Structures are given as C-alpha cells and as structure tokens.
Amino acid sequence: MKVLGINAIFHDPAAALVVDGRIVAAAEEERFSRRKHGKRPVPFSAWELPERAAAWCLTHGGVAASDLDAVAYSFDPRICEPSEAVGLADPWDWLRQQYAARTPQFLAAALPGLDPGIVQFVPHHIAHAASAGLAVPHNASADRAVLVLDGRGEVASHLAGVYRGGELTQLAQQRLPHSLGLLYEDLTERLGFLRSSDEYKVMALASYGRPRHLGLLRELIQVTDEGGFKVQPIHWDTLAKQVEGAEFTEDHADLASSVQTRIEEVILQLARWTHDASGGARTLTLAGGVALNCVANARLAAESPYERIWVQPAAGDAGTALGAALHASAAAGTATDAMTGADLGRGYSDEEIEAELRRAGLPYYKPPSIALEAARVLADGGIVAWFQGRAEYGPRALGHRSLLAHPGDRNMTRRLNEVKGREQFRPVAPMVLAERAPEIFEGQLPSPYMLFVHRVRPGWVDRIPAVTHVDGTARVQTVAAESEPLVAEMLSEFDRLTGLPVVVNTSLNTAGRPIVDTPREAMELLGSAPVALLAMGPFAVRRDNAYRTGPSDPGATAPADEG
C-alpha cells in the first residue's frame, strides 16, 4: 500500500511517503522553498500545499501520483465547529475550513495524475498520535500510551490515548479554547518573539529567571479529573511589560520561568493520569509542538511512572504528515514499521556533490578521512559546516546538516551565536559518543534526537563549558556507531586529539533561514559565515583557501600532508 501524508493546514507544511508500512521519505516544504516554517499559520495561507516536498517524496520512492492508494491529510474539516463555538477569536477560521474541504482538488492540481477521490481526512491529533505511537521502536504487542499537546487542532488542543497493536483508544481530549500550546505562544509574543516559531527561545530564557509567579499560575492553569486541563485568562500586563526590541529584564526571565515551570507540572500530571487510564503502559510516546519542550520532557523522564519516554523527532505539525500516512496504512490493515532515524530527507551522491563543487569553482580536496579532517579543524578551534547523508526530518540538526565546534572553548557559544545571528542567551547543544554519555551527563540515555535536557556532571562542567547552559544542563544528542558511523568516527577522532568525546552541534543555518538542505546552500553558507571548513560528503573546502586564492583545480589546495 502506497500512502502519501500531507500536512498543510497551519504551519510547517510537509509530506511523507509510507509504502507497505515502511517509512520511505519525509521532508518539510521549508527546505525547498527556503521560507522558515514554510508559511505563517493564518487562514489565508491554508491552501498552500507542500508541493515540492510531496513531489520529491514521490520521486525518491519511485512512485507516481497515479499509483498512490491513498493521500492522508492531517486535518479533518468535517469535525470543525465555528471559531466562536470553541472560544477562539479567529473571524477568518471559516476560510481555513473551506480551504481544507477543497484539499482533494488542490492536491489533484498540484500532483498531476492524482485521483482526488483517494484523499482521506485524518483528524489533526490522531495524526500527531500516530506519528508517535505507530513510529516508536517497539514490541508491536506491547501497549504504549500517547500524549499529544499543541496549540490547536479542529476543536481540541490535547489527546491522551493508548495504542494496542496498531489501534488507538482515545482516553481524553481537551476542547478549545483551553490550550497549553496557545498559552506558550501568547507568552512568546509577549516577550517580543514570533509566535508559532520562537517558542524554543522562551524555554532558553526561562533558565535565567525564577518562577516567582508560580502560585498565581497554579490557580489559573489546572488539571481536571477527566485527564484534561483548564487555562484561565492571564493578564500579562500585571506580570511584565511587553518586550520592545531585545531589552529583556529580570521580570521577563521570571515570567518565562514561571510559565515554563507550570507547563512542566501540568504535563507531568497529564502523563500520570494517562498512565493510570491506560492500565499502566510502560512506554509513553509524545507528539505535538509542546513535546519539543525538552526541559519538560526531562522532568517526565525523571518523575513520571513510565519506564520509557519516546518523543517523535518531528513532534510539531510537520510530523503529522508522517502520522497521517502511518494512520491510513494501519487503518487499512498494513503493519507499520518503526521509525529508526530522522534522516528521511534529501541526500546527494559523492558524484553529485563533486559536480556542484566544480560548478561553483571552489578549491576542494578529498582527504583520506573526512571525519579526521573535521576533527583536526575542530581541535584547532575552527567551526565546521558538516553536510553528510540525508537531511533530517524535524527541527533538530542531528549530524547530517550541522555546524560543529569545540565544546571546551568558553567563547564558543558567543562565536556561534554571532555566526548564526542569534540572541546571546541561547545555548548550543552537545553531541556525544553514546557509550561515553553516562559518565558525562545525567538523565534519560540514550537520547539520539536531542529532545531531553541532561544535567552535566560536576567533573565535566569546566571541561565542556560551551555546551553547559546557565542552569548546568545540556540538550544532549547521543551518537551510536551502529546508526551513525561517520559521526561516531569524527567524535572518536576528536576524542583522540583532545580527550573530549563531545562536540558542539547546532543547525547548519543562519538566523531566520531554514536548515541547509542542498550542496549549493552549504556553499553559500560557507561564503557568508566565518566557517573554517566545509565537510561535504568525502570532500573538504577550507574557507581561507576558497576566499584567498580563488578557484583552482581539485586537490590543488589540500594541506601538505594530504598530498
């Protein structure tokens, strides 16, 4: 069975292809359009589809649009209600619903040969749930609870359930207007950031504050006995002034800390309720934009009754494309395979990469080991643009489209934030050899998708200051040689050179731009940012050679010991 999943209704439009239950490809439209998040989540953009992402998924899978058995769209306009009925001040929401209802025709126009009759509407939170509950590496016979929390779907903002086999039993759902996701978006906007985009910045800012408004927020945000919650109106003006520019005060940090802490407490209570209602499921799977809150996830791992927490790497709306496809497959009786990695996007052969380097006229060379070459530059304090394999699905760079740096340099966080044009309070994250992680970090391990924070052990805080946040934590990615051999080789070489099995890993992009996806974009970043080395496939380009000597023949600028 061939199923194409589509997310398009709010933000982060994406497509995913599932064939006979196996995940073949998944990609976000922003990587093709180069527009961050693909579009803004307003009703007037609801018609915009991930046309290029969908076309690429089909091409990569060798599937024609006419050969698809189903297209699963992660929103169901048939269960929507007028915005005033669900307490939302969104006078144009009817237009969003109208666009969604016409999606079959829009898709048929975008993908020639597609039969609009095969388009299925999958409720938004069912798609989120499937992206976690059906994708988690699991024993198919074992029960796994699922908790979905985001801004909004059709009429709700939350779903609790349990998967038994491939079937979901819903246990609870919270109707709008009560929403933890919308609450966090309101706070994001209050702090001068872009809502539905910059919520992760609030989480970083919260580490600098004290939760001194927690008592009030516990009164205004409460969990119900039915497994849901109520959010009363919050008068933000009484807690902190609206941020103008980037002038943050202690009041703003304290407000961020207070909301963050209350969100963590509520999520923990919801998870405990779901555990009891599910009959004591050992695994909890998470999806929805709120599940990208790695601080809250860490509290769940430490304090909830579950033995295992698994978060969908593309937990935001992009992941509903995959979830919708998995749900449609399972509903048709097809067993679905687990998601074994986030590298589901575009990749390029060595020949394609070299052709791009030649076209650009950049002086490049092919060292005996690109992993060792990168490790040497990192050990010398240089920043490396690392472009390897297939692009990641979701917001995290996980060693395929990354900027790498030395974690022992106290100035590295400042340097990287300057390179990327980011606020200086934002931390950068470590990637670490999986077998060495327990001696350096405390918390849920392994952590291959950078979705939990970990306490840095006392003996390592001064050794890796660049990745230790102000609160003594780090958002860790563990790297196993079995699944990521090249990244593990680079880490091992860096460890041999420096005694540190850790490197800084942040996304390969600059402020306001999507993560780099193609060789050309990687070369453009090299030309616009002070990166010492571009490691792309087996090839290396040194910035000082590229912009001092100009174009030359391949191999002409290799270091002396590389010939």
Side-chain angles (χ1 to χ4, degrees):
M1 184 177 186
K2 304 178 183 69
V3 183
L4 180 68
I6 296 290
N7 168 62
I9 194 67
F10 295 117
H11 49 80
D12 297 298
L17 179 65
V18 174
V19 176
D20 296 331
R22 181 175 63 89
I23 303 170
V24 173
E28 296 161 76
E29 187 72 4
E30 69 165 23
R31 308 295 175 89
F32 299 81
S33 68
R34 308 309 299 161
R35 182 183 181 189
K36 189 72 169 175
H37 297 295
K39 60 181 180 179
R40 293 299 297 151
V42 295
F44 310 102
S45 71
W47 64 272
E48 296 182 40
L49 296 169
E51 297 183 20
R52 282 167 281 192
W56 173 79
C57 285
L58 294 176
T59 299
H60 178 78
V63 176
S66 58
D67 294 332
L68 289 168
D69 298 294
V71 176
Y73 182 79
S74 62
F75 188 83
D76 190 348
R78 299 169 300 182
I79 62 174
C80 288
E81 299 177 17
S83 60
E84 57 270 20
V86 293
L88 295 180
D90 191 350
W92 287 97
D93 195 57
W94 64 269
L95 182 63
R96 176 184 284 117
Q97 297 174 28
Q98 288 292 317
Y99 281 145
R102 289 165 172 74
T103 293
Q105 289 73 36
F106 291 155
L107 282 167
L111 300 172
L114 177 70
D115 176 6
I118 68 171
V119 177
Q120 305 175 11
F121 294 116
V122 177
H124 190 69
H125 289 109
I126 298 295
H128 267 310
S131 77
L134 293 180
V136 57
H138 62 272
N139 178 349
S141 63
D143 294 352
R144 55 258 185 220
V146 60
L147 187 60
V148 174
L149 290 160
D150 67 355
R152 62 162 295 192
E154 294 85 357
V155 295
S157 70
H158 151 267
L159 178 150
V162 59
Y163 272 96
R164 295 184 172 95
E167 186 173 346
L168 173 67
T169 298
Q170 294 190 58
L171 303 173
Q173 187 179 58
Q174 179 56 58
R175 277 181 61 89
L176 294 166
H178 304 284
S179 169
L180 297 183
L182 292 181
L183 167 68
Y184 218 85
E185 287 185 15
D186 288 345
L187 174 62
T188 300
E189 190 171 55
R190 183 74 191 173
L191 294 174
F193 301 122
L194 183 64
R195 67 183 301 141
S196 297
S197 175
D198 293 346
E199 283 70 26
Y200 57 94
K201 298 181 183 181
V202 176
M203 185 176 63
L205 183 63
S207 299
Y208 291 84
R210 297 177 295 108
R212 58 187 175 91
H213 304 298
L214 187 56
L216 173 63
L217 293 175
R218 283 172 174 163
E219 296 177 6
L220 297 177
I221 310 166
Q222 295 190 349
V223 175
T224 68
D225 293 338
E226 295 76 33
F229 51 89
K230 300 296 181 185
V231 180
Q232 303 303 323
I234 297 174
H235 300 291
W236 300 108
D237 286 339
T238 65
L239 303 177
K241 294 181 179 180
Q242 176 79 37
V243 172
E244 297 182 4
E247 295 299 322
F248 298 104
T249 68
E250 182 179 307
D251 286 346
H252 299 121
D254 288 350
L255 178 57
S257 177
S258 300
V259 175
Q260 172 66 33
T261 302
R262 185 55 185 150
I263 290 286
E264 294 168 20
E265 293 177 343
V266 170
I267 294 173
L268 186 57
Q269 288 178 270
L270 295 173
R272 287 170 174 161
W273 185 94
T274 304
H275 180 265
D276 292 341
S278 69
R282 295 182 177 182
T283 295
L284 173 65
T285 62
L286 298 171
V290 177
L292 292 171
N293 191 309
C294 54
V295 178
N297 294 344
R299 282 200 66 177
L300 282 177
E303 301 177 39
S304 77
Y306 299 93
E307 295 178 11
R308 182 187 183 203
I309 309 288
W310 191 84
V311 185
Q312 163 57 240
D317 275 7
T320 64
L322 174 60
L326 290 172
H327 174 80
S329 296
T334 302
T336 56
D337 291 347
M339 182 176 178
T340 57
D343 52 333
L344 297 169
R346 285 188 288 185
Y348 298 85
S349 68
D350 294 352
E351 293 75 19
E352 289 172 322
I353 291 172
E354 187 167 23
E356 286 293 301
L357 288 166
R358 288 182 178 275
R359 182 195 60 77
L362 285 177
Y364 68 94
Y365 59 99
K366 185 177 181 180
S369 167
I370 193 65
L372 175 57
E373 187 72 4
R376 286 173 172 167
V377 173
L378 292 170
D380 288 340
I383 297 172
V384 173
W386 181 262
F387 183 105
Q388 303 292 339
R390 293 177 66 177
E392 299 93 342
Y393 180 48
R396 304 282 191 252
L398 301 168
H400 293 253
R401 304 289 188 272
S402 293
L403 281 173
L404 309 177
H406 198 309
D409 183 349
R410 293 184 180 276
N411 293 318
M412 190 54 73
T413 304
R414 176 188 56 77
R415 286 177 59 193
L416 283 169
N417 282 332
E418 288 176 353
V419 167
K420 291 169 68 70
R422 309 192 321 175
E423 299 86 354
Q424 283 297 336
F425 66 80
R426 290 172 57 187
V428 290
M431 58 164 52
V432 57
L433 288 168
E435 63 271 21
R436 299 289 303 279
E439 70 184 80
I440 306 171
F441 303 103
E442 302 172 6
Q444 171 159 314
L445 296 169
S447 179
Y449 299 124
M450 206 184 287
L451 289 165
F452 299 84
V453 297
H454 299 74
R455 180 71 52 185
V456 181
R457 293 188 183 276
W460 284 86
V461 171
D462 291 334
R463 297 183 66 184
I464 52 173
V467 296
T468 303
H469 196 32
V470 66
D471 60 357
T473 66
R475 191 182 68 203
V476 174
Q477 178 197 355
T478 54
V479 176
E482 300 78 30
S483 56
E484 296 286 353
L486 186 61
V487 180
E489 181 186 353
M490 179 272 298
L491 284 166
S492 295
E493 293 289 3
F494 184 75
D495 184 24
R496 182 178 61 82
L497 293 169
T498 66
L500 300 174
V502 179
V503 301
V504 178
N505 172 29
T506 187
S507 54
L508 186 58
N509 64 338
T510 52
R513 294 183 174 89
I515 297 175
V516 161
D517 205 65
T518 68
R520 180 171 183 169
E521 293 157 12
M523 291 184 289
E524 289 172 348
L525 186 142
L526 176 70
S528 63
V531 171
L533 180 78
L534 170 61
M536 189 160 59
F539 306 105
V541 181
R542 289 181 177 262
R543 180 182 174 84
D544 55 358
N545 290 329
Y547 297 103
R548 183 182 67 232
T549 61
S552 65
D553 292 332
T557 60
D561 62 347
E562 303 293 359

